[in-house]
Amino acid sequence: MVKIEFLGPINKEEMNLEINNLNELSEILKSDSTVSSWLETCAVAINDTLVCSKDVELKDGDKVSLLPPVCGG
């Protein structure tokens, strides 16, 4: 299982999914109205390391974090 966490204002409970890469996660989240509008703007981290590719292989126990853009002062 891969744990998916949604940070900041996304306002969604974490999920546990049987997925192999971020492409699979993207397809699942596109149909979720709470998350779909965030997909184009979020940064993604796997086990607290930012990634740029959706082809990264995911393993059992990995954590994927969706990080929406934020403003700071």
Side-chain angles (χ1 to χ4, degrees):
M1 287 282 202
V2 175
K3 180 169 115 176
I4 315 301
E5 66 177 5
F6 304 92
L7 302 179
I10 297 176
N11 197 27
K12 181 167 177 70
E13 292 293 318
E14 70 180 39
M15 303 167 68
N16 291 294
L17 300 171
E18 290 286 343
I19 54 175
N20 296 309
N21 57 48
L22 295 178
N23 282 315
E24 291 179 19
L25 176 61
S26 178
E27 289 304 312
I28 292 168
L29 296 181
K30 282 179 185 178
S31 64
D32 185 319
S33 61
T34 304
V35 180
S36 61
S37 63
W38 292 101
L39 293 180
E40 293 297 317
T41 58
C42 280
V44 177
I46 298 174
N47 300 323
D48 300 323
T49 300
L50 291 175
V51 296
C52 296
S53 173
K54 289 183 180 178
D55 295 323
V56 177
E57 182 180 342
L58 297 171
K59 301 179 297 297
D60 188 42
D62 281 347
K63 176 181 75 172
V64 176
S65 303
L66 272 69
L67 306 117
V70 295
C71 294

PDB file of all heavy atoms in Angstrom, residues 35-59:
ATOM      1  N   VAL A  35      -9.933  16.983  -5.432  1.00  0.00           N
ATOM      2  CA  VAL A  35      -8.501  17.051  -5.714  1.00  0.00           C
ATOM      3  C   VAL A  35      -8.179  17.472  -7.148  1.00  0.00           C
ATOM      4  O   VAL A  35      -7.155  18.089  -7.396  1.00  0.00           O
ATOM      5  CB  VAL A  35      -7.844  15.674  -5.426  1.00  0.00           C
ATOM      6  CG1 VAL A  35      -6.366  15.707  -5.698  1.00  0.00           C
ATOM      7  CG2 VAL A  35      -8.105  15.247  -4.004  1.00  0.00           C
ATOM      8  N   SER A  36      -9.041  17.163  -8.086  1.00  0.00           N
ATOM      9  CA  SER A  36      -8.713  17.333  -9.509  1.00  0.00           C
ATOM     10  C   SER A  36      -8.264  18.751  -9.856  1.00  0.00           C
ATOM     11  O   SER A  36      -7.355  18.928 -10.669  1.00  0.00           O
ATOM     12  CB  SER A  36      -9.880  16.907 -10.387  1.00  0.00           C
ATOM     13  OG  SER A  36     -11.016  17.692 -10.128  1.00  0.00           O
ATOM     14  N   SER A  37      -8.855  19.756  -9.249  1.00  0.00           N
ATOM     15  CA  SER A  37      -8.467  21.141  -9.571  1.00  0.00           C
ATOM     16  C   SER A  37      -7.074  21.498  -9.060  1.00  0.00           C
ATOM     17  O   SER A  37      -6.479  22.471  -9.515  1.00  0.00           O
ATOM     18  CB  SER A  37      -9.499  22.114  -9.002  1.00  0.00           C
ATOM     19  OG  SER A  37      -9.538  22.023  -7.595  1.00  0.00           O
ATOM     20  N   TRP A  38      -6.539  20.716  -8.142  1.00  0.00           N
ATOM     21  CA  TRP A  38      -5.204  20.973  -7.593  1.00  0.00           C
ATOM     22  C   TRP A  38      -4.089  20.272  -8.371  1.00  0.00           C
ATOM     23  O   TRP A  38      -2.916  20.610  -8.223  1.00  0.00           O
ATOM     24  CB  TRP A  38      -5.129  20.487  -6.143  1.00  0.00           C
ATOM     25  CG  TRP A  38      -5.957  21.274  -5.188  1.00  0.00           C
ATOM     26  CD1 TRP A  38      -7.174  20.941  -4.682  1.00  0.00           C
ATOM     27  CD2 TRP A  38      -5.633  22.535  -4.614  1.00  0.00           C
ATOM     28  NE1 TRP A  38      -7.620  21.903  -3.832  1.00  0.00           N
ATOM     29  CE2 TRP A  38      -6.686  22.910  -3.761  1.00  0.00           C
ATOM     30  CE3 TRP A  38      -4.538  23.394  -4.729  1.00  0.00           C
ATOM     31  CZ2 TRP A  38      -6.700  24.083  -3.052  1.00  0.00           C
ATOM     32  CZ3 TRP A  38      -4.541  24.581  -4.013  1.00  0.00           C
ATOM     33  CH2 TRP A  38      -5.605  24.911  -3.186  1.00  0.00           C
ATOM     34  N   LEU A  39      -4.410  19.294  -9.192  1.00  0.00           N
ATOM     35  CA  LEU A  39      -3.386  18.435  -9.785  1.00  0.00           C
ATOM     36  C   LEU A  39      -2.359  19.186 -10.622  1.00  0.00           C
ATOM     37  O   LEU A  39      -1.182  18.836 -10.622  1.00  0.00           O
ATOM     38  CB  LEU A  39      -4.038  17.324 -10.617  1.00  0.00           C
ATOM     39  CG  LEU A  39      -4.837  16.302  -9.818  1.00  0.00           C
ATOM     40  CD1 LEU A  39      -5.431  15.268 -10.768  1.00  0.00           C
ATOM     41  CD2 LEU A  39      -3.997  15.641  -8.754  1.00  0.00           C
ATOM     42  N   GLU A  40      -2.763  20.212 -11.344  1.00  0.00           N
ATOM     43  CA  GLU A  40      -1.833  20.931 -12.221  1.00  0.00           C
ATOM     44  C   GLU A  40      -0.881  21.846 -11.447  1.00  0.00           C
ATOM     45  O   GLU A  40       0.183  22.202 -11.956  1.00  0.00           O
ATOM     46  CB  GLU A  40      -2.600  21.749 -13.255  1.00  0.00           C
ATOM     47  CG  GLU A  40      -3.358  20.894 -14.249  1.00  0.00           C
ATOM     48  CD  GLU A  40      -2.433  20.017 -15.088  1.00  0.00           C
ATOM     49  OE1 GLU A  40      -1.386  20.514 -15.527  1.00  0.00           O
ATOM     50  OE2 GLU A  40      -2.775  18.843 -15.296  1.00  0.00           O
ATOM     51  N   THR A  41      -1.237  22.239 -10.240  1.00  0.00           N
ATOM     52  CA  THR A  41      -0.428  23.218  -9.512  1.00  0.00           C
ATOM     53  C   THR A  41       0.361  22.640  -8.335  1.00  0.00           C
ATOM     54  O   THR A  41       1.222  23.319  -7.797  1.00  0.00           O
ATOM     55  CB  THR A  41      -1.312  24.374  -8.993  1.00  0.00           C
ATOM     56  OG1 THR A  41      -2.337  23.831  -8.143  1.00  0.00           O
ATOM     57  CG2 THR A  41      -1.949  25.131 -10.142  1.00  0.00           C
ATOM     58  N   CYS A  42       0.067  21.429  -7.938  1.00  0.00           N
ATOM     59  CA  CYS A  42       0.732  20.837  -6.780  1.00  0.00           C
ATOM     60  C   CYS A  42       2.129  20.329  -7.108  1.00  0.00           C
ATOM     61  O   CYS A  42       2.366  19.780  -8.187  1.00  0.00           O
ATOM     62  CB  CYS A  42      -0.075  19.659  -6.247  1.00  0.00           C
ATOM     63  SG  CYS A  42      -1.461  20.134  -5.235  1.00  0.00           S
ATOM     64  N   ALA A  43       3.017  20.487  -6.151  1.00  0.00           N
ATOM     65  CA  ALA A  43       4.288  19.774  -6.180  1.00  0.00           C
ATOM     66  C   ALA A  43       4.012  18.398  -5.571  1.00  0.00           C
ATOM     67  O   ALA A  43       3.052  18.216  -4.825  1.00  0.00           O
ATOM     68  CB  ALA A  43       5.335  20.514  -5.371  1.00  0.00           C
ATOM     69  N   VAL A  44       4.854  17.433  -5.918  1.00  0.00           N
ATOM     70  CA  VAL A  44       4.669  16.071  -5.415  1.00  0.00           C
ATOM     71  C   VAL A  44       5.967  15.605  -4.769  1.00  0.00           C
ATOM     72  O   VAL A  44       7.049  15.782  -5.330  1.00  0.00           O
ATOM     73  CB  VAL A  44       4.264  15.108  -6.552  1.00  0.00           C
ATOM     74  CG1 VAL A  44       4.144  13.683  -6.032  1.00  0.00           C
ATOM     75  CG2 VAL A  44       2.952  15.556  -7.187  1.00  0.00           C
ATOM     76  N   ALA A  45       5.836  15.008  -3.599  1.00  0.00           N
ATOM     77  CA  ALA A  45       6.993  14.431  -2.912  1.00  0.00           C
ATOM     78  C   ALA A  45       6.721  12.956  -2.639  1.00  0.00           C
ATOM     79  O   ALA A  45       5.590  12.572  -2.332  1.00  0.00           O
ATOM     80  CB  ALA A  45       7.255  15.161  -1.599  1.00  0.00           C
ATOM     81  N   ILE A  46       7.761  12.161  -2.795  1.00  0.00           N
ATOM     82  CA  ILE A  46       7.701  10.751  -2.417  1.00  0.00           C
ATOM     83  C   ILE A  46       8.672  10.564  -1.268  1.00  0.00           C
ATOM     84  O   ILE A  46       9.862  10.866  -1.401  1.00  0.00           O
ATOM     85  CB  ILE A  46       8.070   9.831  -3.598  1.00  0.00           C
ATOM     86  CG1 ILE A  46       7.077  10.026  -4.741  1.00  0.00           C
ATOM     87  CG2 ILE A  46       8.092   8.374  -3.140  1.00  0.00           C
ATOM     88  CD1 ILE A  46       7.429   9.274  -6.004  1.00  0.00           C
ATOM     89  N   ASN A  47       8.155  10.108  -0.141  1.00  0.00           N
ATOM     90  CA  ASN A  47       8.968   9.933   1.071  1.00  0.00           C
ATOM     91  C   ASN A  47       9.755  11.204   1.380  1.00  0.00           C
ATOM     92  O   ASN A  47      10.943  11.171   1.667  1.00  0.00           O
ATOM     93  CB  ASN A  47       9.885   8.715   0.929  1.00  0.00           C
ATOM     94  CG  ASN A  47       9.106   7.446   0.707  1.00  0.00           C
ATOM     95  OD1 ASN A  47       8.039   7.264   1.272  1.00  0.00           O
ATOM     96  ND2 ASN A  47       9.611   6.579  -0.137  1.00  0.00           N
ATOM     97  N   ASP A  48       9.060  12.350   1.282  1.00  0.00           N
ATOM     98  CA  ASP A  48       9.580  13.673   1.631  1.00  0.00           C
ATOM     99  C   ASP A  48      10.652  14.200   0.676  1.00  0.00           C
ATOM    100  O   ASP A  48      11.376  15.132   1.016  1.00  0.00           O
ATOM    101  CB  ASP A  48      10.090  13.697   3.071  1.00  0.00           C
ATOM    102  CG  ASP A  48       8.996  13.362   4.074  1.00  0.00           C
ATOM    103  OD1 ASP A  48       7.839  13.790   3.853  1.00  0.00           O
ATOM    104  OD2 ASP A  48       9.270  12.651   5.053  1.00  0.00           O
ATOM    105  N   THR A  49      10.759  13.635  -0.527  1.00  0.00           N
ATOM    106  CA  THR A  49      11.686  14.132  -1.550  1.00  0.00           C
ATOM    107  C   THR A  49      10.878  14.543  -2.771  1.00  0.00           C
ATOM    108  O   THR A  49      10.114  13.733  -3.323  1.00  0.00           O
ATOM    109  CB  THR A  49      12.699  13.038  -1.953  1.00  0.00           C
ATOM    110  OG1 THR A  49      13.435  12.649  -0.782  1.00  0.00           O
ATOM    111  CG2 THR A  49      13.660  13.538  -3.003  1.00  0.00           C
ATOM    112  N   LEU A  50      11.021  15.813  -3.195  1.00  0.00           N
ATOM    113  CA  LEU A  50      10.285  16.289  -4.363  1.00  0.00           C
ATOM    114  C   LEU A  50      10.681  15.522  -5.601  1.00  0.00           C
ATOM    115  O   LEU A  50      11.852  15.202  -5.799  1.00  0.00           O
ATOM    116  CB  LEU A  50      10.538  17.785  -4.576  1.00  0.00           C
ATOM    117  CG  LEU A  50       9.942  18.723  -3.532  1.00  0.00           C
ATOM    118  CD1 LEU A  50      10.375  20.154  -3.801  1.00  0.00           C
ATOM    119  CD2 LEU A  50       8.431  18.620  -3.513  1.00  0.00           C
ATOM    120  N   VAL A  51       9.704  15.226  -6.447  1.00  0.00           N
ATOM    121  CA  VAL A  51       9.945  14.516  -7.703  1.00  0.00           C
ATOM    122  C   VAL A  51       9.306  15.290  -8.847  1.00  0.00           C
ATOM    123  O   VAL A  51       8.357  16.051  -8.651  1.00  0.00           O
ATOM    124  CB  VAL A  51       9.388  13.074  -7.672  1.00  0.00           C
ATOM    125  CG1 VAL A  51      10.101  12.243  -6.619  1.00  0.00           C
ATOM    126  CG2 VAL A  51       7.898  13.051  -7.435  1.00  0.00           C
ATOM    127  N   CYS A  52       9.839  15.081 -10.049  1.00  0.00           N
ATOM    128  CA  CYS A  52       9.325  15.764 -11.239  1.00  0.00           C
ATOM    129  C   CYS A  52       8.673  14.814 -12.225  1.00  0.00           C
ATOM    130  O   CYS A  52       7.940  15.240 -13.102  1.00  0.00           O
ATOM    131  CB  CYS A  52      10.459  16.514 -11.942  1.00  0.00           C
ATOM    132  SG  CYS A  52      11.159  17.824 -10.941  1.00  0.00           S
ATOM    133  N   SER A  53       8.949  13.538 -12.124  1.00  0.00           N
ATOM    134  CA  SER A  53       8.462  12.555 -13.094  1.00  0.00           C
ATOM    135  C   SER A  53       7.328  11.726 -12.513  1.00  0.00           C
ATOM    136  O   SER A  53       7.366  11.340 -11.348  1.00  0.00           O
ATOM    137  CB  SER A  53       9.603  11.622 -13.503  1.00  0.00           C
ATOM    138  OG  SER A  53       9.128  10.574 -14.311  1.00  0.00           O
ATOM    139  N   LYS A  54       6.339  11.426 -13.357  1.00  0.00           N
ATOM    140  CA  LYS A  54       5.250  10.550 -12.933  1.00  0.00           C
ATOM    141  C   LYS A  54       5.623   9.080 -13.083  1.00  0.00           C
ATOM    142  O   LYS A  54       4.853   8.207 -12.714  1.00  0.00           O
ATOM    143  CB  LYS A  54       3.992  10.828 -13.759  1.00  0.00           C
ATOM    144  CG  LYS A  54       3.334  12.142 -13.445  1.00  0.00           C
ATOM    145  CD  LYS A  54       2.063  12.280 -14.252  1.00  0.00           C
ATOM    146  CE  LYS A  54       1.362  13.580 -13.975  1.00  0.00           C
ATOM    147  NZ  LYS A  54       0.146  13.709 -14.799  1.00  0.00           N
ATOM    148  N   ASP A  55       6.798   8.797 -13.635  1.00  0.00           N
ATOM    149  CA  ASP A  55       7.201   7.417 -13.891  1.00  0.00           C
ATOM    150  C   ASP A  55       7.989   6.787 -12.739  1.00  0.00           C
ATOM    151  O   ASP A  55       8.450   5.660 -12.860  1.00  0.00           O
ATOM    152  CB  ASP A  55       8.038   7.338 -15.168  1.00  0.00           C
ATOM    153  CG  ASP A  55       7.218   7.716 -16.386  1.00  0.00           C
ATOM    154  OD1 ASP A  55       6.028   7.360 -16.428  1.00  0.00           O
ATOM    155  OD2 ASP A  55       7.766   8.375 -17.281  1.00  0.00           O
ATOM    156  N   VAL A  56       8.153   7.505 -11.645  1.00  0.00           N
ATOM    157  CA  VAL A  56       8.886   6.966 -10.499  1.00  0.00           C
ATOM    158  C   VAL A  56       8.144   5.752  -9.962  1.00  0.00           C
ATOM    159  O   VAL A  56       6.935   5.801  -9.725  1.00  0.00           O
ATOM    160  CB  VAL A  56       9.029   8.036  -9.391  1.00  0.00           C
ATOM    161  CG1 VAL A  56       9.707   7.472  -8.175  1.00  0.00           C
ATOM    162  CG2 VAL A  56       9.772   9.251  -9.912  1.00  0.00           C
ATOM    163  N   GLU A  57       8.876   4.655  -9.773  1.00  0.00           N
ATOM    164  CA  GLU A  57       8.266   3.434  -9.247  1.00  0.00           C
ATOM    165  C   GLU A  57       7.951   3.608  -7.766  1.00  0.00           C
ATOM    166  O   GLU A  57       8.779   4.096  -7.001  1.00  0.00           O
ATOM    167  CB  GLU A  57       9.216   2.248  -9.432  1.00  0.00           C
ATOM    168  CG  GLU A  57       8.641   0.947  -8.957  1.00  0.00           C
ATOM    169  CD  GLU A  57       9.587  -0.224  -9.139  1.00  0.00           C
ATOM    170  OE1 GLU A  57      10.544  -0.106  -9.918  1.00  0.00           O
ATOM    171  OE2 GLU A  57       9.367  -1.245  -8.478  1.00  0.00           O
ATOM    172  N   LEU A  58       6.748   3.208  -7.374  1.00  0.00           N
ATOM    173  CA  LEU A  58       6.340   3.256  -5.976  1.00  0.00           C
ATOM    174  C   LEU A  58       6.378   1.862  -5.384  1.00  0.00           C
ATOM    175  O   LEU A  58       6.068   0.886  -6.059  1.00  0.00           O
ATOM    176  CB  LEU A  58       4.927   3.836  -5.861  1.00  0.00           C
ATOM    177  CG  LEU A  58       4.765   5.281  -6.340  1.00  0.00           C
ATOM    178  CD1 LEU A  58       3.297   5.661  -6.371  1.00  0.00           C
ATOM    179  CD2 LEU A  58       5.556   6.227  -5.462  1.00  0.00           C
ATOM    180  N   LYS A  59       6.781   1.797  -4.108  1.00  0.00           N
ATOM    181  CA  LYS A  59       6.874   0.516  -3.411  1.00  0.00           C
ATOM    182  C   LYS A  59       5.928   0.517  -2.214  1.00  0.00           C
ATOM    183  O   LYS A  59       5.520   1.572  -1.735  1.00  0.00           O
ATOM    184  CB  LYS A  59       8.309   0.291  -2.936  1.00  0.00           C
ATOM    185  CG  LYS A  59       9.349   0.289  -4.039  1.00  0.00           C
ATOM    186  CD  LYS A  59      10.744   0.090  -3.514  1.00  0.00           C
ATOM    187  CE  LYS A  59      11.272   1.135  -2.600  1.00  0.00           C
ATOM    188  NZ  LYS A  59      11.466   2.471  -3.034  1.00  0.00           N
TER     189      LYS A  59
END
